[in-house]
Amino acid sequence: WAQWVAVLWLFTLVAVAGLAPYLPLPYPPAVPDLAHVAVPPLSFGHWLGTDAQGQDILAGLVFGARTVVLLTLPATALAAVLAGLLGSIAGYWGNQLRLALPFWVAIVAGSWGLARLPGYQYALAVAVIAGSLSMLLRYIPRQYHGPAFRFPFDSILRGSLTLLGSVPRLLLVIVVTSQGTTMPQLALVLALLAWPEMARLVRARMQRVSILPFIEAAQASGLSPARIWLRHALPHALQPLRTAFPLSLATLLGLETTLSFLGLGLPPTTASWGRMLTNFRLNLGTCNSAYYPLLTIILTIISLHYLATRSFFIAKNDFIPSS
């Protein structure tokens, strides 16, 4: 029953976040009611009271949930896609990946173009370049692809993971967001910080899957390496993401809350649970302004960790065909 309680809590959180603009809240978020500052719950129409600045706590919780969902969910999803793609390629091909000449042209042109694009357009440009190149090479015969060159993909990935792991995550985010960011930009930053751990898991899993007998049977049947990687190996290599996804959500939730508590990241007009905790410091007598967001954060993180634990026990017993 505890699993269903966790799922129900997270589902309620997502539903409240989606319906936040349409809920009949008595007061909007981040708008101070100077006539009723630091009032207790059920006072003057404020169902959960107000904080030291007169802001309605219930509205802050609701729209803070909306901020969390709109920020951490896309960031974790982008990190999972990036980790699944890079980790599986490194685990399957290692340093033996051979790229045709059009791929090298696309990498150089894409790198030059990405350096001149702001914010969230990085991800859009990568998707457009990859999709266009895949469609182009699909309809061009292999003999016209041009010469292929070996690319040390695994070494580059492991070096990138080591580099990102050696820098304190919170310090890196503070440096990047010190001048202020929009929500898409912050989501991209969080995604780039969350993908290394998932990529390590996917890479290790792919290395285990790639030597199993059913992969060798697929290779003996004459299937191309790309088809074997996509159709047969990749679904099994992505199993660790069932555990890593909720854990990354919990990590990014804590990171976003910390940034808001420090007054960094999103603009001050954006509702956030961390900023509600900051307002509590202005008047330590308004304990209700800290209890509700703190309890919400704790329940959300516990629910995500419990789902990750359940996913671990499921993934530990999943079936990998041996032939």
Side-chain angles (χ1 to χ4, degrees), residues 259-279:
L259 287 176
S260 300
F261 182 78
L262 297 175
L264 301 173
L266 298 176
T269 55
T270 304
S272 174
W273 295 339
R275 191 162 287 112
M276 296 178 67
L277 295 176
T278 302
N279 295 335

Side-chain angles (χ1 to χ4, degrees), residues 197-218:
E197 288 79 4
M198 291 188 282
R200 287 191 182 94
L201 295 174
V202 174
R203 175 181 172 273
R205 178 76 171 203
M206 178 60 82
Q207 288 178 332
R208 174 191 172 193
V209 170
S210 62
I211 61 175
L212 291 178
F214 80 99
I215 297 295
E216 296 177 356

Side-chain angles (χ1 to χ4, degrees), residues 23 26 85-86 89 97-98 108 139 147 192 194 215 234 244 253-254 256 297-298 307:
L23 295 178
L85 180 63
L86 299 182
I89 292 176
L97 180 65
R98 300 181 68 85
V108 174
Y139 295 102
L192 294 178
I215 297 295
L234 187 60
L253 168 60
E256 188 276 330
I297 294 170
I298 292 175
L307 290 183

